[in-house]
Amino acid sequence: MYKVFDVLEIRKDFPILNQTIHGKPLVYFDNAATTQKPQSVIQAISEYYQEFNANIHRGIHTLAEKATAEYEGTREMVRKFINASSTDEIIFTRGTTESINLVAATFGRQQVKAGDEVIITTMEHHSNIVPWQMLCEEKGATLKVIPINDAGEIILEEYEKLLSERTKLVAAVYVSNSLGTINPVKEIIDRAHAFGARVLIDGAQASAHLDINVQELNCDFYAFSSHKLYGPTGIGVLYGKRELLDSMPPYQGGGEMIKEVSFEKTTYNELPYKFEAGTPNIADTVAFKKALEYVNEISKPVAAEYEHELLTYATESLQEINGLRIVGTAKEKISIVSFVVEGVHHQDIGIILDTQGIAVRTGHHCTQPLMQRFGIPGTTRASFAMYNTKEEIDKLVKGLHRVVKMFR
Ligand SMILES: *Cc1c(COP(=O)(O)O)cnc(C)c1O
């Protein structure tokens, strides 16, 4: 449909963008927190409830069959989207956070023992720190952290030094939500495998911007959320290699995840249902497929190229602002610009920009240890999606000039 990338056409697909905030046209630069949804996704949710709402699987009536087919259709779409070899390897969760917790509670509990080590990076989101801390505390294992340089890039030589036979798992973010850094995950994975360690990749930010191929990456687990990928909230994915998922104990117990239950013993369902207890989020899962179709139709590489143009433009224009310093200057970045302005608290920047209709995120972005690494309490973060424009970046720059004037 979109042979040429036409941002004004794309904007028409996102009804929420067409509004004013405090009398100014909305400029939505908080895409790393969650992206807006195209009309097709919004419509799919109400269509589900209006036309084929029914509980999935076990039903033999027509609506249940239709709901099941749509729900499983999303699973196949996700499989293709990340190039997994089988839909058995695609587990639906509530999001990245739940996907990581699932691995910690099953694989982690089973495999990590006292004296073992789990390695993460300095730039992890809290959801890829805390589950491992909890696990290590429970097991008497140790959490190790890969350091980064001042540009916000992982220091691979330091990573190598942390790896040993004690390493059971490496959990690393593909793309930093605070800095935009794209990590060399292939190298991270290969080096971990050389020590027999498994690798989980947090793909929450990467999945909307980069082409994901889990077989080529050869990661053991890959976690991401629909809502950062133009899809609904409340639905996410855990990819896992089949032999690993097979050998892992179940996560939650209940309906759907069982084969047979008696008071003496329960046998578990096969993959992927073993990890999906209870009635899932059917409506949002069905609508998630529309989001993936949307991204495929536009073509991720085409959108990514445009987003990179926005990144370059924003990086250049923001540097003109007196006292502004960009935090995260990695060579490989997606379209995220985090910055601090001398003498102005990020919260004040956020409030003043909001009066201009500009939505940015301020604070630690769920990466407090990363902020500590840079010696700052937080940043202002502008994160761009395929529907943003250079004109909007101009408005941000103008707004920031105003902020600086107010505080100096
Ligand atoms: C958003 C995000 C998460 C958490 O995702 P949820 O959808 O909130 O579960 C984890 N890691 C990164 C890098 C993120 O950007």
Side-chain angles (χ1 to χ4, degrees):
M1 199 162 138
Y2 301 94
K3 285 285 170 273
V4 194
F5 191 85
D6 182 347
V7 69
L8 296 180
E9 278 304 306
I10 285 169
R11 288 180 71 82
K12 287 185 196 154
D13 297 330
F14 292 82
I16 203 170
L17 297 177
N18 186 25
Q19 65 172 300
T20 54
I21 302 288
H22 303 301
K24 307 270 164 50
L26 167 66
V27 173
Y28 186 78
F29 282 165
D30 197 14
N31 295 288
T34 198
T35 53
Q36 300 303 346
K37 324 302 172 198
Q39 187 61 46
S40 59
V41 169
I42 300 166
Q43 207 173 319
I45 296 171
S46 56
E47 259 172 31
Y48 166 74
Y49 285 120
Q50 283 183 20
E51 292 168 24
F52 57 98
N53 170 53
N55 211 332
I56 53 167
H57 301 133
R58 299 158 311 278
I60 48 159
H61 59 81
T62 306
L63 289 192
E65 277 177 4
K66 163 95 168 135
T68 303
E70 292 287 333
Y71 181 84
E72 292 302 326
T74 301
R75 202 188 303 273
E76 168 57 17
M77 190 77 185
V78 169
R79 185 202 65 73
K80 263 194 248 155
F81 195 75
I82 62 171
N83 193 36
S85 58
S86 159
T87 50
D88 293 353
E89 300 180 316
I90 306 298
I91 294 155
F92 287 130
T93 64
R94 283 191 299 126
T96 308
T97 304
E98 193 180 38
S99 297
I100 296 169
N101 275 276
L102 191 163
V103 176
T106 58
F107 170 86
R109 277 237 175 99
Q110 185 189 52
Q111 297 291 326
V112 177
K113 310 240 152 51
D116 285 345
E117 292 175 356
V118 174
I119 297 178
I120 58 174
T121 81
T122 304
M123 65 180 91
E124 295 311 314
H125 188 282
H126 294 162
S127 67
N128 203 26
I129 302 174
V130 184
W132 308 119
Q133 266 172 342
M134 288 162 65
L135 177 72
C136 287
E137 208 162 291
E138 182 186 317
K139 296 290 186 175
T142 308
L143 192 65
K144 301 257 166 160
V145 184
I146 310 171
I148 57 170
N149 62 22
D150 291 340
E153 296 165 316
I154 278 174
I155 305 171
L156 280 173
E157 303 80 70
E158 295 295 326
Y159 169 51
E160 297 241 29
K161 288 184 206 156
L162 295 178
L163 284 164
S164 77
E165 278 69 35
R166 290 185 298 277
T167 313
K168 276 283 137 40
L169 182 83
V170 177
V173 70
Y174 200 153
V175 169
S176 161
N177 61 302
S178 297
L179 309 175
T181 309
I182 303 172
N183 284 319
V185 286
K186 181 69 184 147
E187 275 96 319
I188 292 173
I189 294 162
D190 289 347
R191 287 173 202 202
H193 283 167
F195 286 87
R198 298 295 185 173
V199 184
L200 176 142
I201 299 298
D202 171 353
Q205 294 296 332
S207 306
H209 302 279
L210 309 177
D211 263 331
I212 308 300
N213 186 336
V214 291
Q215 292 189 76
E216 206 171 277
L217 285 175
N218 197 20
C219 53
D220 300 290
F221 301 104
Y222 187 91
F224 64 108
S225 303
S226 144
H227 73 96
K228 291 181 177 173
L229 194 44
Y230 308 102
T233 52
I235 174 73
V237 174
L238 173 68
Y239 157 83
K241 281 183 183 163
R242 183 205 292 267
E243 71 270 18
L244 271 171
L245 295 175
D246 261 332
S247 65
M248 278 153 51
Y251 178 44
Q252 295 178 324
E256 186 64 35
M257 55 76 73
I258 53 92
K259 191 171 269 163
E260 228 172 289
V261 177
S262 74
F263 285 123
E264 289 70 39
K265 184 166 174 54
T266 292
T267 52
Y268 304 125
N269 204 341
E270 56 222 36
L271 292 175
Y273 311 111
K274 180 171 117 182
F275 293 103
E276 293 179 3
T279 302
N281 183 352
I282 305 167
D284 292 314
T285 308
V286 168
F288 181 27
K289 183 164 169 234
K290 299 289 176 199
L292 297 176
E293 281 170 0
Y294 189 83
V295 172
N296 285 345
E297 209 169 285
I298 287 174
S299 157
K300 246 199 287 187
V302 172
E305 197 185 313
Y306 173 72
E307 288 161 358
H308 203 266
E309 255 176 61
L310 294 179
L311 172 68
T312 308
Y313 185 70
T315 305
E316 282 166 7
S317 343
L318 286 172
Q319 272 160 353
E320 288 165 19
I321 292 157
N322 201 350
L324 184 146
R325 179 167 63 86
I326 291 177
V327 181
T329 49
K331 280 189 237 36
E332 299 292 330
K333 273 183 76 171
I334 61 149
S335 48
I336 288 177
V337 190
S338 250
F339 56 86
V340 289
V341 180
E342 208 182 290
V344 194
H345 194 272
H346 51 73
Q347 210 164 328
D348 293 324
I349 298 177
I351 291 167
I352 296 162
L353 289 179
D354 182 61
T355 66
Q356 311 297 304
I358 302 168
V360 292
R361 184 136 302 231
T362 61
H364 54 66
H365 318 297
C366 295
T367 55
Q368 280 182 340
L370 177 63
M371 295 299 123
Q372 285 154 17
R373 161 63 179 80
F374 283 104
I376 50 177
T379 71
T380 302
R381 179 186 73 188
S383 49
F384 312 120
M386 59 165 104
Y387 42 65
N388 289 127
T389 64
K390 287 186 182 170
E391 290 70 35
E392 289 181 313
I393 292 170
D394 291 340
K395 285 181 188 164
L396 171 68
V397 172
K398 210 168 135 204
L400 286 168
H401 276 302
R402 183 186 293 237
V403 168
V404 172
K405 221 177 271 165
M406 283 171 77
F407 281 84
R408 299 262 168 76

